[in-house]
Amino acid sequence: QVQLVESGGGLVQAGGSLRLSCAASGRTFSTYFMAWFRQPPGKEREFVATINSSGGSTYYADSVKGRFTISRDNAKNTVYLQMNSLKPEDTAVYYCGAGKTVVTFDYWGQGTQVTVSS
C-alpha cells in the first residue's frame, strides 16, 4: 500500500514556474514507477510525465516536453514536477500516481490545483 500526498500547486501568471511535490508513505517507494497526470476543467485526466524506479528514465507528453521536468528523491520518498514557462492551458488539477509498471498506476494522491492566469 502506498499513500501519496501532493503539494505545491497555486496561482501563477503565464510564463511563471511552480514545483509540485508528491510525498509517498511506505518503505517500497523506490520500487515504483511514478507519474504525474492532470485533469483540466471539464476534461478527462491526461498523462503528463513518468519516471522509472531509479530515476534514470523519464518520458513526457508532447504538450509539456521542454518545459516540465519530473524527478525523484528515493531517500525522501518524494517525486517532483518542475513546471516552467507555464501557459493558461496548463491549468488543471495535478495528480501523482504510483505503479509497478510504466502503464498501470494503482495508487493516486488527492490532487493539487494549478491555475495559470493569462
Side-chain angles (χ1 to χ4, degrees):
Q1 189 83 8
V2 177
Q3 293 184 323
L4 305 171
V5 179
E6 301 97 335
S7 61
L11 174 64
V12 63
Q13 288 189 332
S17 298
L18 281 175
R19 188 175 83 152
L20 305 184
S21 300
C22 174
S25 65
R27 293 176 292 179
T28 59
F29 173 77
S30 62
T31 67
Y32 283 86
F33 286 87
M34 298 298 296
W36 288 94
F37 284 70
R38 66 187 182 187
Q39 187 164 14
K43 298 184 179 181
E44 295 188 351
R45 190 176 297 190
E46 63 186 29
F47 167 77
V48 175
T50 189
I51 189 167
N52 71 344
S53 56
S54 69
S57 179
T58 59
Y59 185 76
Y60 297 90
D62 288 343
S63 58
V64 306
K65 201 172 295 182
R67 300 187 298 123
F68 290 11
T69 303
I70 188 171
S71 62
R72 67 190 296 162
D73 185 338
N74 286 342
K76 295 182 178 180
N77 279 17
T78 302
V79 62
Y80 305 97
L81 185 68
Q82 177 66 44
M83 306 186 294
N84 298 330
S85 302
L86 282 162
K87 305 175 181 179
E89 51 263 44
D90 294 318
T91 295
V93 178
Y94 283 71
Y95 299 89
C96 69
K100 286 295 188 179
T101 75
V102 71
V103 295
T104 303
F105 296 93
D106 303 305
Y107 303 102
W108 296 94
Q110 81 291 348
T112 186
Q113 176 71 47
V114 171
T115 303
V116 184
S117 63
S118 57

